[in-house]
Each structure stands twice: as C-alpha cells, then as structure tokens.
Amino acid sequence: MKAILRNAIAAAFSLVAVASVQAQDKVLNLYSARHYQTDEELYSKFTQQTGIRINRIEADDAALMERLRNEGKNSPADVILLVDAARLWRAQVEGQFQPVRSKVLEERIPANLRGGDEGQGAQWFGLSTRARIIVYNKVRVKREDVATYESLADPVNKGKVCTRSGSHPYMLSMIGAMIERNGEAATEKWAQGMVANFARPPQGGDTDQIKGVASGECGIAVANSYYYARLLRSTKSEDREMMNKVSFVWPNQESSGTHINVAGGAVAKYAPHREAAVKFLEYLAGDEAQAYFANGNNEWPVVSSAVAKNPVLQQMGKFKTENISITAVGKNQIAAQKILDRVGYK
C-alpha cells in the first residue's frame, strides 16, 4: 500500500514538473528597438491568440546590440526587432541571428526585404517599410530642382541642403542604395556636391531637418517619411503652422524609384524558445498585424495583401519604390562610410 502511495505521489510531482516546463515554454523574450505605444495591443493580441506571454525589453538598437554581445550564449532573447537595414546587416554579420526556414515568411515577405540566405533560410525579415523623402521650403526652393537624390548635389542647391550626420544608419543605408544603383565613383562625386551645398554642418535628427526647412535655415532636407507623416498628423498649432511652409517629393520617380528602408525582425542565435519565436515572426507577417504594425509608426506593410488604413499616408499618395536588395544596401554601408570620410561629410 505504501509503495502504491509513493508511486502516486511521484507521478503527481512528475505531472506538476511537466506542467511547469510547459508553462515556461509559453514565453517569448523580445528585444525591441521599436518603442511605440500602438505596438502594445499588437503584442497583446499575439498572447491572446497563442497563449504565449511576451517579456519585452525595449532600448535603442545600439543598446540592444551591446546587451546581446555581453550576454553571449546566456542571452534569453528569442526575437530581436531592429530598425534600419544597416543595423540589421551589422547584427547578421556579428552572428546575432539564426536562419529561419518558414513557408509563411517566404511566401509573404518579398525576397529583396529579407536578410542573407545561405540555403538554411533567411537571417532576418523586413516587417514594415519607410521611405527616404526630400523635404523642401515652398518659398525658397523650386520643386523641379529637387526631383532626385542626385539633384541635391547640383550647384542650383548650393547653401540649401541640411541632413543629419552622414554616419547615421538612415543616411548610410540611403548612400548604400546609391552605391548599388550608381557605383562608388558616382556616389563619391555626389557626396562631394552635398558637402559643397550644406546650409549648416550635419546635425540633429530627421524632425530637426524638417524644422530647419520650415524656418528657412535650410532650403532642402532628407528625412524618413514617417517623421513627415507624424508631423502632418499632429494637432499642435505650431506643427500645423510649420508643415504649411514645407512640401516634399518622392525622389527618383522617373528612374530608379524612392529609397525605402525596413524595420525587421529575426530569431536570436541562442533563442531558448525558437518555436515561439518563429510563430511570432509569422504572426507579424499576417495581414492584421502587418497593417497594425505599420500604422503605429506611419509606415507601410511589406505584405502586399495588407492594407495600411492611415489617412495621412493616403494623403501623401502612391509612389514608385526602388527594387534593391536590402541586404546589399546594408552591406554597402562600409563603402558608404569610407566615401563620407574621404569627402568630409561628417
């Protein structure tokens, strides 16, 4: 009788242990460089649908990468969300990701918006896109003088151009795309023309560039489209007044198309919950999540069947995008930085 009782107790403890392990498996550790309030509901819906609870750490891309380096093989990270091709490429080169073979992701995410694939699956997947637009002062600048990225280096725009630091990943990605399109020699000549046309030394973020254009300190600036859209959506009177003074163009519509960049996700190299991590990326590639993921930051879905119901994006209109591999754009950042150093583009 005692033996039967002992066996029953042991079996009960075994069931508790199994339940405990299963409970632990219903967890996803997310390292995210996205920090938008609208993403909160997106993640909550994933938990409601799957029962997988998300533990989230949010920081900028550089801080997340430093954390991953320090944690090494002991990192609890399952999924890493980063913004910009240059940052995704750097993380891939450092070996922070693991390849993923997923029919869902491969069918829904365009090939040019995925990371490197050596036959085992892509290293990362683009989840939303943003465009690099040209913003101009409606009084100081003629629209036809800023129709392309290349035109910003023309003599007609001398003393008018403002940008953030050339070494910022947004700029490195844009210049990396130019290298892929036009070659290094032509891109270096363009960079020299940009330096000659500066209204002020590169400084601040993209919102600062738009403010500089509105104030007249700058005539022209380049900025990510979601910063422009965010200001258009603002209800602040000062923002509305500022946006009345500026306009924008989708560059290179008669040639290569406007440069786009991505926010993307990857499964961490040492992900303890790999199955949940892949499931999460597949969830983010779904139509509902795609629209929500993009709308939260005034971006566009990468999945063609998803619809971004954002009145400001609709107001900004449709445009032709470049069709360049985002992986190539990221890879070209090294050459881009060397060009910037040579021409004194700080």
Side-chain angles (χ1 to χ4, degrees), residues 22-29 51-55 78 273 276-277:
Q22 289 175 339
Q24 290 174 5
D25 286 342
K26 289 288 187 178
V27 169
L28 176 80
N29 298 318
I52 300 172
R53 179 171 51 86
I54 296 177
N55 297 321
D78 292 309
H273 309 104

Side-chain angles (χ1 to χ4, degrees), residues 29 31 68 75-80 95-100 123 265-274 277 281:
N29 298 318
Y31 282 21
L68 287 166
S75 177
D78 292 309
V79 171
I80 304 166
Q96 298 293 352
F97 304 151
Q98 61 173 284
V100 171
Q123 292 275 336
V267 175
K269 183 176 182 179
Y270 302 108
H273 309 104
R274 187 181 191 280
L281 291 181

Side-chain angles (χ1 to χ4, degrees), residues 115-134:
D117 185 344
E118 297 180 357
Q120 297 176 303
Q123 292 275 336
W124 53 264
F125 298 86
L127 297 168
S128 60
T129 66
R130 62 281 298 272
R132 201 78 178 144
I133 62 174
I134 295 173

Side-chain angles (χ1 to χ4, degrees), residues 208-279:
D208 297 312
Q209 312 314 314
I210 298 171
K211 289 179 178 178
V213 171
S215 71
E217 181 183 8
C218 315
I220 309 160
V222 288
N224 273 354
S225 53
Y226 65 86
Y227 289 102
Y228 194 91
R230 186 185 298 167
L231 288 168
L232 283 178
R233 294 181 76 172
S234 175
T235 58
K236 296 179 180 179
S237 58
E238 59 267 31
D239 289 340
R240 290 183 175 276
E241 183 180 351
M242 176 176 67
M243 297 308 286
N244 284 333
K245 298 176 181 178
V246 304
S247 189
F248 80 99
V249 296
W250 301 115
N252 296 61
Q253 290 303 283
E254 300 300 320
S255 55
S256 56
T258 297
H259 167 64
I260 60 168
N261 210 326
V262 296
V267 175
K269 183 176 182 179
Y270 302 108
H273 309 104
R274 187 181 191 280
E275 185 177 341
V278 174
K279 186 176 292 187

Side-chain angles (χ1 to χ4, degrees), residues 47-123:
T47 298
Q48 291 170 12
Q49 292 177 19
T50 64
I52 300 172
R53 179 171 51 86
I54 296 177
N55 297 321
R56 187 164 83 237
I57 291 176
E58 291 184 347
D60 64 29
D61 301 76
L64 288 179
M65 292 306 300
E66 186 62 25
R67 185 182 184 113
L68 287 166
R69 294 184 198 105
N70 291 335
E71 290 173 341
K73 293 182 179 180
N74 297 319
S75 177
D78 292 309
V79 171
I80 304 166
L81 298 182
L82 300 176
V83 291
D84 189 86
R87 289 160 169 157
L88 286 161
W89 184 80
R90 287 177 188 173
Q92 176 184 323
V93 170
E94 283 188 21
Q96 298 293 352
F97 304 151
Q98 61 173 284
V100 171
R101 178 67 73 201
S102 162
K103 184 178 180 180
V104 171
L105 293 171
E106 288 166 7
E107 287 181 349
R108 295 183 68 79
I109 309 296
N112 68 310
L113 300 182
R114 301 182 217 149
D117 185 344
E118 297 180 357
Q120 297 176 303
Q123 292 275 336

